[in-house]
Amino acid sequence: IREVETPKKNPASMRFEPQSVDEAIVAAAPDACYAALFAFVHATGADLSPVLELTERGDIDLARGVARLRGTKTAKRHVHEAIIEAWALPALEAHLRHMMPHVRPWAGITRYMSAWHHAKAAEAAEAPAYTLRMARHSVAVRARKAGRSFEWIAAQLGNSVYQVATVYGRFSPTTAERLADIDAKNTGNATFHATDRATRAPPASHPRPARPA
């Protein structure tokens, strides 16, 4: 008995996908209701169960792009606000625009129904085995790669700063990504990439004015 070792725990899955995959899954949803649900989870990092059981139409402010998320795991996650990534707003608008504030947008949908339809949509998007739970990691990694602070991500997910730093600290933006972000802000072109710096023509030089004699 002394020689028996305690089995090691399997590391938690850290799969994450780019925004393009999340958009493809939403597009492959079976109807507008599921499209809005998938968009909401993929664009906020929200836990699925509270979204299905507790979220009301009035919790989702499409004008501000903000959602009030309810949870029960810890006091920190009881209620917090999360930013909705802009790409998801059209799908949410299509499903929510005629609902009253106290209506639950996804009433009658269970976790198992959501998981089944999401698995089908993920296969159609060529991202098999990518689950709604994994979407939480995608939101966090995208935010970190965009240079968001651990405090920002913690507020988005409803986690502690320590937990976020421990899990997502390795996804800090690279130098090329930080340079791309600076260029995007300076030019107003969000699709500009740092790799373009090598091929971009240098700015035209202007002769200095002659000094007075």
Side-chain angles (χ1 to χ4, degrees), residues 16-199:
F16 55 91
E17 296 289 350
Q19 178 181 312
S20 58
V21 171
D22 289 347
E23 292 180 355
I25 289 173
V26 172
D31 57 34
C33 180
Y34 278 103
L37 174 61
F38 297 163
F40 187 74
V41 173
H42 280 277
T44 62
D47 286 322
L48 178 61
S49 292
V51 169
L52 295 176
E53 299 168 9
L54 303 174
T55 298
E56 297 178 350
R57 170 62 183 90
D59 293 327
I60 304 172
D61 187 341
L62 295 177
R64 294 173 58 219
V66 174
R68 183 169 60 250
L69 302 180
R70 307 169 188 267
T72 57
K73 289 187 177 180
T74 66
K76 176 70 176 176
R77 294 174 70 175
H78 183 61
V79 177
H80 71 281
E81 286 192 328
I83 307 300
I84 305 171
E85 293 178 339
W87 64 267
L89 294 175
L92 287 167
E93 170 66 22
H95 179 56
L96 302 175
R97 59 187 170 210
H98 299 306
M99 286 188 182
M100 299 298 289
H102 297 295
V103 173
R104 286 168 47 206
W106 298 287
I109 295 179
T110 67
R111 290 175 55 234
Y112 304 103
M113 294 165 62
S114 303
W116 191 86
H117 285 294
H118 187 273
K120 294 296 183 181
E123 290 178 4
E126 300 183 353
Y130 179 44
T131 67
L132 281 164
R133 178 64 184 176
M134 293 173 184
R136 187 173 178 82
H137 296 308
S138 297
V139 170
V141 172
R142 283 201 294 264
R144 189 61 189 149
K145 286 288 189 178
R148 301 293 188 185
S149 67
F150 295 132
E151 290 81 4
W152 193 100
I153 299 171
Q156 178 75 10
L157 300 182
N159 283 349
S160 69
V161 176
Y162 173 80
Q163 183 178 3
V164 168
T166 300
V167 176
Y168 301 108
R170 55 183 162 139
F171 296 106
S172 298
T174 64
T175 300
E177 288 167 337
R178 287 185 285 126
L179 288 171
D181 182 63
I182 292 173
D183 280 326
K185 291 178 180 178
N186 290 340
T187 64
N189 180 9
T191 60
F192 186 85
H193 296 287
T195 52
D196 295 334
R197 297 173 71 89
T199 58

